[in-house]
Amino acid sequence: MTPSPPAPLPVAVLVSGGGTNLQALLDALEGSPLARVARVVSSRADAGALERARRAGVPTAVLADSADGGEIVAAVEGARLVVLAGYLKRVPPDAVARLRWRVINIHPALLPAFGGPGMYGRRVHQAVLASGAAVSGATVHYVDEEFDRGPIIAQWPVPVRPDDTAESLAARVLAVEHRLVPQVVLALARRGVPAQPVRLHATGSTFVMGDRIAIELE
Ligand code: GRF
């Protein structure tokens, strides 16, 4: 008798905001045999991301105390992988320790630059423009005890344009985030979410012409 295929890997998503990265993940994993969004956990009851989860029929929870590591571990119970998608709170060290190498975060810049406490949203892109950097991008990394410091899993570049504002740069980086997060989740699911850090590399040219963004990782 042919063995039945393994169930899609359950993924929990932690959110604080509108949830466009969550939406990109929900859309990319729809019908996937590899992974599924099993739960959405928010640090705020009014996060727009919760409405996206409900529309997709995914169970949701709102943290009473995001500084309580035990509450977070309980909230993601059953998930093999935890994705921070626009989650603005620091994950408590005890939760990080219990979920080591199973929690990843998306950051809208090329870490280790332009990361750390307070570096989120518009501020990140303003800092990139102020630095004169010619390239920005998105980073998916493991979460450790500090903001934006865990080992990098994958990055994708976004050229900075001379007429860029923080908003126009943020929009192009967000478009890359929406492709990078699902690619990394699928790559980790294919590998069974190893208990040691994975580094993914871009295949082919990473710069794109026009608006076709084709992220391929190995
Ligand atoms: C994204 O740029 C993400 O990298 C950052 O917060 C922004 C909003 O994310 N952490 P979302 O629309 O809530 O997914």
Side-chain angles (χ1 to χ4, degrees):
M1 198 169 73
T2 46
S4 56
L9 188 115
V11 176
V13 182
L14 270 57
V15 298
S16 299
T20 66
N21 276 295
L22 167 66
Q23 192 64 55
L25 198 52
L26 288 166
D27 299 346
L29 297 187
E30 200 173 340
S32 166
L34 281 172
R36 65 183 174 87
V37 178
R39 173 166 277 265
V40 171
V41 179
S42 180
S43 63
R44 299 169 49 131
D46 61 353
L50 290 169
E51 195 38 47
R52 295 177 188 274
R54 292 180 191 124
R55 274 203 302 271
V58 175
T60 64
V62 177
L63 296 169
D65 177 6
S66 59
D68 177 349
E71 185 185 354
I72 290 182
V73 171
V76 301
E77 176 75 31
R80 290 276 311 288
L81 181 64
V82 179
V83 178
L84 275 51
Y87 184 71
L88 299 179
K89 299 290 183 182
R90 192 165 72 95
V91 177
D94 58 325
V96 169
R98 290 166 67 184
L99 300 166
R100 186 73 67 186
W101 310 125
R102 290 173 46 208
V103 187
I104 64 175
N105 178 50
I106 175 73
H107 184 77
L110 295 178
L111 295 174
F114 311 111
M119 287 301 274
Y120 57 85
R122 193 171 186 283
R123 288 186 209 155
V124 174
H125 307 289
Q126 271 177 326
V128 170
L129 293 177
S131 77
V135 178
S136 186
T139 302
V140 178
H141 64 96
Y142 288 102
V143 171
D144 71 4
E145 289 72 7
E146 294 307 329
F147 277 115
D148 305 328
R149 194 192 59 183
I152 292 169
I153 303 171
Q155 294 184 304
W156 205 268
V158 174
V160 175
R161 295 180 179 158
D163 57 351
D164 259 331
T165 61
E167 287 68 28
S168 62
L169 179 58
R172 290 202 315 286
V173 171
L174 195 58
V176 163
E177 293 177 52
H178 292 167
R179 286 175 173 78
L180 189 61
V181 172
Q183 284 287 329
V184 172
V185 168
L186 288 166
L188 291 175
R190 255 184 234 107
R191 290 164 171 79
V193 189
Q196 67 268 329
V198 168
R199 181 65 187 251
L200 300 170
H201 299 279
T203 59
S205 158
T206 53
F207 275 126
V208 296
M209 295 305 128
D211 62 2
R212 193 181 66 76
I213 302 171
I215 293 184
E216 282 138 32
L217 300 169
E218 65 183 9

